[in-house]
Amino acid sequence: MSYYLNSENHLDPGPIYVRENGQLHMVNLALDGVRSGLQKPRPFRLFPKGFSVELCMNREDDTAQKEKTDHFIFTYTREGNLRYSAKSLFSLVLGFISDNVDHIDSLIGFPEQIAEKLFSAAEARQKFTEPGAGLRALQKFTEAYGSLVLCSLCLRNRYLVISEKLEEIKSFRELTRLDLSCCKLGDEHELLEHLTNEALSSVTQLHLKDNCLSDAGVRKMTAPVRVMKRGLENLTLLDLSCNPDITDAGIGYLLSFKKLNCLDISGTGLKDINAVKQKLQTHIGLIHSKVPLKEFDHSNCKTEGWADQIVLQWERVTVEAKKPRKVPEPREATQYFYRKRALMEASRKCPLADSHMNSSGKLQFYKEKAPDCHGPLLKREATESQESKKSKKRAFEESEKEQNNSSQSSKQKYVCLAVEDWDLLNSY
C-alpha cells in the first residue's frame, strides 16, 4: 500500500467493495483523505473506466470456430448431459477434400466406394452448384467413373436447366438413356450437336419428342453414323414424335440406325405413310404397331446415378433465380399467381404431344425379333388372328426379294454423299 502511495505513475484503483455479514459495502470514502493529500495531477488513462479485457488464446474468426466444432459429434446421454466425441480421421479428411474438391487433379484409379462417399459429401455442401468450381469438380468425377455418376438423365421439359447448366450436362459420359422431350431445342442447338460426340456413343434410348426438329436436324444427328459408323450407332430406341417439320426425307436418314428396335414418329409431317412403313420394314425390319408401346410412355426414363440429386438442385436454383424480386400489388400478385399456375400446368404437359396422344393415327414401330421391346402389349396383338400373321409373313418375304434385287442400287445411294454432308463431317 505504501508502495502504491509513493509511486508517481499510479492508476485509480476504482471503487473498493467489502463483504460483511452477507452484505456488500463500498469503502471508497476511506481513501478520500489519501487522495486529498496527493498534490500531483491525475495521470492519463490509457483505457476508459470500466474497461475489461477478455483473455483468448489463439482467437480465430467464426468460420474457423465452426470448422473446429465440425471435428466433434455432440450427443446427449440418458441423464440429459451433453457429451461430445471426436470424429474419425476418415471423416475429417473426407470433409476437407469435399470442401476443396474442385482443386483435385484427377480421380482416375481412386476406389469407387470412397469416391461415392466423397461425391455425397461434396453434394451435401452444394459444391456442384457453384458457378465455376462446380463444373470442374463434376468433370473430375465423370472422366473417372462415367456411368456411375449418371447412367440415365431425364430433362423432360427442363429447358431452363439446359440453358443454365449446358456445360455441366455436356460433361456427363457413358449415358445409356437420355430424355430431352419438350425442350424446344431446334436444329441448331449445341446439345443436339453434342449428341453425336464420342462420349455419348453409349446412348441406347433417346427421346426427342416435341423439340422443333426438321429434316436438317435429323441429317445432322445421323451424319457420323451414316459415314463414319460412329456417334449414335448403338441406338435401340428413338422418339421423334410431335416434330411436324420432319418429312419423308428425314425418315430416310434414320435407316442408318441398324440396331434400332423401337421408333416413334407420330405427329411428324409425313406425306406418304404407307411408303414410309414399307421402307422401315424393308431396310431395318421395323413393323408398325397397332397398339401403343409401353417404351414411349416416358415412365421408364428417370435420372439415375450418383448425381440424381444434383439435377434437382440445378432445377431449384434456376427456378429461384427466375423469381421476380419486386413485391407486386395484391391485384398484380393474384394475376401473377394464376398466370404462374397456368404456366406450370402447361410446362408439365406438352399441348402438341397431348393432341397427338389422343389421336388414333400413332406411328410407332418395333422390331419383331426384339424380345424386350414390345412386351405384353404386342403379345396380345400377336394372338389376334392367324391370317394377319400370314399376310405379314408374305409381305416380309416379298420385301426381302425386293431388298436383294435393289441391294446394289441402295448401296450406291447411301455411299454417295452430298456437299452439305461433307461440310458437316468436316466440322467434327
Side-chain angles (χ1 to χ4, degrees):
M1 188 68 177
S2 61
Y3 173 78
Y4 172 77
L5 295 174
N6 295 328
S7 62
E8 297 181 355
N9 298 327
H10 67 278
L11 297 176
D12 185 10
I16 299 175
Y17 296 90
V18 176
R19 181 180 293 276
E20 183 179 359
N21 297 327
Q23 295 183 355
L24 199 63
H25 303 279
M26 185 174 64
V27 292
N28 268 1
L29 298 177
L31 296 176
D32 289 344
V34 177
R35 290 175 182 172
S36 61
L38 297 175
Q39 300 297 330
K40 295 182 180 180
R42 285 187 176 185
F44 174 76
R45 285 183 179 273
L46 183 61
F47 299 103
K49 190 174 181 178
F51 179 81
S52 61
V53 179
E54 179 183 1
L55 183 62
C56 297
M57 301 299 294
N58 298 328
R59 183 175 178 85
E60 299 174 350
D61 56 355
D62 296 338
T63 305
Q65 288 182 358
K66 185 178 180 181
E67 291 179 355
K68 278 191 172 183
T69 57
D70 287 344
H71 298 171
F72 302 96
I73 302 175
F74 295 92
T75 56
Y76 284 95
T77 60
R78 294 181 178 179
E79 293 78 10
N81 299 325
L82 183 64
R83 181 180 61 184
Y84 69 91
S85 57
K87 291 184 179 179
S88 63
L89 181 61
F90 175 79
S91 300
L92 298 178
V93 173
L94 192 68
F96 177 79
I97 298 177
S98 61
D99 288 331
N100 302 275
V101 67
D102 57 306
H103 298 292
I104 297 177
D105 291 334
S106 177
L107 288 172
I108 298 177
F110 203 66
E112 299 174 357
Q113 296 82 356
I114 308 299
E116 184 177 3
K117 295 181 179 180
L118 178 61
F119 191 92
S120 301
E123 178 187 344
R125 289 167 168 80
Q126 296 186 356
K127 302 296 292 185
F128 298 107
T129 58
E130 297 179 0
L135 176 59
R136 294 193 299 268
L138 190 61
Q139 288 175 345
K140 301 301 180 183
F141 284 95
T142 53
E143 69 182 3
Y145 303 103
S147 60
L148 291 177
V149 178
L150 212 62
C151 63
S152 177
L153 177 60
C154 181
L155 294 174
R156 187 183 186 187
N157 205 22
R158 295 178 180 176
Y159 45 87
L160 289 178
V161 178
I162 293 178
S163 61
E164 296 292 334
K165 299 292 182 180
L166 180 60
E167 295 299 325
E168 285 81 352
I169 294 172
K170 290 170 60 177
S171 66
F172 292 121
R173 302 185 179 186
E174 299 181 12
L175 291 173
T176 57
R177 290 175 292 180
L178 181 60
D179 192 347
L180 299 173
S181 302
C182 307
C183 290
K184 311 295 183 182
L185 297 180
D187 297 331
E188 303 298 330
H189 199 275
E190 187 177 352
L191 186 57
L192 187 65
E193 182 179 352
H194 180 68
L195 291 177
T196 60
N197 199 317
E198 193 68 24
L200 293 181
S201 60
S202 58
V203 174
T204 59
Q205 299 182 15
L206 179 61
H207 297 267
L208 293 174
K209 178 181 182 178
D210 191 16
N211 269 287
C212 305
L213 298 178
S214 64
D215 295 341
V218 178
R219 179 178 62 85
K220 182 185 296 185
M221 185 177 62
T222 58
V225 182
R226 288 186 285 116
V227 180
M228 298 180 292
K229 305 300 180 183
R230 52 187 294 186
L232 297 172
E233 58 180 350
N234 296 317
L235 202 61
T236 60
L237 184 144
L238 179 61
D239 186 1
L240 292 176
S241 60
C242 304
N243 291 287
D245 294 333
I246 297 179
T247 62
D248 302 27
I251 301 301
Y253 296 123
L254 302 179
L255 302 180
S256 58
F257 294 138
K258 301 299 181 182
K259 298 181 180 180
L260 201 61
N261 293 330
C262 299
L263 175 65
D264 189 357
I265 52 176
S266 306
T268 54
L270 301 181
K271 296 180 179 179
D272 193 350
I273 298 179
N274 293 328
V276 171
K277 291 180 180 179
Q278 185 67 24
K279 187 184 298 184
L280 291 174
Q281 183 176 358
T282 301
H283 293 281
I284 53 180
L286 291 179
I287 303 174
H288 179 243
S289 175
K290 295 181 180 180
V291 295
L293 300 179
K294 61 183 180 63
E295 283 73 19
F296 297 110
D297 59 359
H298 297 273
S299 62
N300 295 327
C301 189
K302 300 178 181 179
T303 303
E304 298 177 357
W306 296 350
D308 55 350
Q309 297 299 319
I310 293 180
V311 179
L312 298 178
Q313 290 181 5
W314 290 346
E315 186 177 10
R316 184 171 61 253
V317 170
T318 51
V319 170
E320 291 178 355
K322 297 296 181 181
K323 288 183 178 179
R325 298 181 180 179
K326 179 182 177 182
V327 180
E329 298 296 330
R331 183 179 179 84
E332 295 178 358
T334 305
Q335 293 176 354
Y336 173 76
F337 170 76
Y338 285 107
R339 184 168 63 252
K340 181 179 178 182
R341 181 178 179 182
L343 290 174
M344 291 178 62
E345 292 178 355
S347 64
R348 291 172 186 168
K349 59 181 181 179
C350 305
L352 182 61
D354 292 343
S355 63
H356 289 290
M357 283 295 176
N358 296 331
S359 62
S360 58
K362 280 187 173 294
L363 290 176
Q364 295 181 350
F365 297 83
Y366 68 96
K367 186 171 289 186
E368 198 172 14
K369 294 182 180 180
D372 297 330
C373 180
H374 39 80
L377 293 176
L378 295 179
K379 290 181 180 179
R380 193 186 311 163
E381 180 189 354
T383 58
E384 286 181 355
S385 63
Q386 295 294 334
E387 295 179 359
S388 61
K389 286 185 177 181
K390 292 180 181 179
S391 61
K392 287 182 182 180
K393 186 176 181 181
R394 291 174 185 175
F396 187 73
E397 290 177 355
E398 292 176 359
S399 63
E400 282 185 346
K401 292 179 181 179
E402 294 178 359
Q403 183 178 4
N404 294 330
N405 295 331
S406 60
S407 60
Q408 296 180 353
S409 60
S410 61
K411 287 181 180 178
Q412 294 178 356
K413 181 179 179 182
Y414 292 107
V415 169
C416 297
L417 297 176
V419 179
E420 297 177 352
D421 290 337
W422 285 114
D423 295 337
L424 180 61
L425 292 173
N426 290 331
S427 64
Y428 292 100

